[in-house]
Each structure stands twice: as C-alpha cells, then as structure tokens.
Amino acid sequence: MKKIIIILCVACVMIGILSACSEYGPILKNEISPKKLTTNEQEIVDLLSSDTQEILLFDYKTEDAYKTVSFWVEFYENGELIDRPSGIESYNDEAKPQDGQLAVLITHDEGVTWAFTKDEDGSRTSHTGEILEIDYASLARGYRPINNPVEIEAGKEIVLYTSIYSNDGISLFSDMQRYIEEPNLLSGYPYVQIIKCRFE
C-alpha cells in the first residue's frame, strides 16, 4: 500500500512539473520567447494597453555566439513589401552568446508608429519610426504576437508579431513562421504589418 501511495505522489509531482514546463514548450538552446510576467507585471501591461496602444515584450537567450541582432517591422500592401518603417540593430566586433530583452510599443492614432527598445547587458538602445499613415478606419484587424518560444538559427528570419487588416475575414495562423515560408498568404489583405528578428 505504501508503494502505491509513493508511486501516486511521484506521478502527481511529475505531472505538475511537465505541465509547468509545457506552458512554453521545450527549452531550446537558442530561443526568443514572449516575456514571462508576474501577475503584477501583467496587470501593469494590461493597464497601459488599449485599442490604440499595444505593448509587446520578449526575452531572448542563446548559447551560440552571434555578432548582429536585428529587429524590424515590415509593412505590406496587397501582399507587396512597401516599407520597413522602424527597427533596431546591434553589432558586436566579436560574436558572443546573446541574452537580452525587447520591448515594442505600437501606437495607433492617425496612423501607426512602432517604438523598439532593446536591453542587453545593461546597454539600452531604442528607435521610434515615423508615423505610417494608413486609412484603416473601415477595416477589420486581427493581430497577435508569438505565444511560444521560437528557435533562433543563424541568419534565419523569425516572425514575432503580425497585424492584418482586411475588408473581409482574417486568418491568423498559430505558426506565424508560415508567413515567411508562404508569402502568398499575405496577398489577400490590403495591409499587413510583421515584426521580425534575425541573429547573425
């Protein structure tokens, strides 16, 4: 009887550990992921967010060494890349493992602006792009950041966020990397904004 109780207890503990680990999937050697926030931190982000302002927070960590880390937004019109209105890039003379955080503030007012802030090793850089004027008042919009960690590979572009405007229905894929692999998915929409990153 004691053995059965011990086995059940161990099984319960293991299920709890696996459930906690599976929240963001397996731990990757090189990854970028949504920032894990405490309840209080999430409440502050929710308080500052609105229909006209979005706050995106990411953590990234690599075991492999990279010289360059780039984050930027791409603006598409009817499936065609029109502009890269904002972004940020850091460069090191020697490749090194990366460990930092990224914040993106998206403001929808008379147009859209993106403010990027990157913090790594106590060094902070930021950039706010010019207002991109979009006539989106009559359009529907679907948007979302990544929900789970994405593996970083040297030179590979990674989609962190998509915002899609439409006169009709909108399809948002759980695997947003599809927009890189199948760019034709963007062609049915008047406007699409994609935030990407790359490590090299």
Side-chain angles (χ1 to χ4, degrees):
M1 185 65 173
K2 268 187 180 179
K3 276 188 178 180
I4 293 172
I5 291 171
I6 291 170
I7 290 169
L8 287 173
C9 287
V10 170
C12 288
V13 169
M14 290 304 293
I15 288 169
I17 290 170
L18 290 173
S19 297
C21 291
S22 66
E23 180 184 358
Y24 286 109
I27 295 172
L28 304 171
K29 187 169 90 166
N30 304 297
E31 69 173 30
I32 184 162
S33 62
K35 188 167 187 61
K36 295 178 184 175
L37 302 176
T38 65
T39 302
N40 287 342
E41 290 170 336
Q42 187 61 58
E43 286 174 358
I44 293 169
V45 169
D46 292 343
L47 183 65
L48 296 173
S49 301
S50 67
D51 290 342
T52 60
Q53 184 168 276
E54 296 170 67
I55 299 170
L56 309 174
L57 301 169
F58 303 95
D59 284 325
Y60 57 91
K61 189 173 182 65
T62 73
E63 291 180 18
D64 293 343
Y66 300 96
K67 281 188 174 181
T68 306
V69 180
S70 307
F71 301 97
W72 71 95
V73 60
E74 295 180 348
F75 174 65
Y76 293 81
E77 207 170 305
N78 298 311
E80 296 292 322
L81 177 61
I82 302 298
D83 197 3
R84 292 184 176 177
S86 187
I88 197 165
E89 182 175 88
S90 61
Y91 177 80
N92 298 296
D93 291 335
E94 293 183 13
K96 64 172 189 171
Q98 302 292 321
D99 186 359
Q101 4 181 23
L102 172 73
V104 184
L105 176 64
I106 306 170
T107 305
H108 306 265
D109 196 0
E110 295 188 7
V112 186
T113 56
W114 296 266
F116 287 77
T117 301
K118 185 176 77 67
D119 186 284
E120 189 175 324
D121 299 329
S123 175
R124 183 169 293 179
T125 40
S126 62
H127 177 260
T128 301
E130 294 182 11
I131 294 176
L132 185 64
E133 295 182 7
I134 304 172
D135 182 18
Y136 57 80
S138 62
L139 300 174
R141 184 169 81 101
Y143 55 96
R144 65 185 295 256
I146 55 172
N147 290 329
N148 297 303
V150 178
E151 185 174 14
I152 294 168
E153 297 175 30
K156 177 184 173 184
E157 290 186 1
I158 298 170
V159 173
L160 300 176
Y161 167 92
T162 54
S163 178
I164 298 175
Y165 296 82
S166 176
N167 293 305
D168 199 359
I170 298 172
S171 296
L172 287 174
F173 296 99
S174 57
D175 178 12
M176 290 192 293
Q177 309 316 310
R178 285 186 65 181
Y179 295 114
I180 293 175
E181 297 158 7
E182 304 172 62
N184 59 304
L185 295 173
L186 306 176
S187 61
Y189 302 109
Y191 304 120
V192 176
Q193 296 140 31
I194 299 180
I195 294 174
K196 294 181 178 179
C197 70
R198 183 174 56 234
F199 292 69
E200 297 178 286

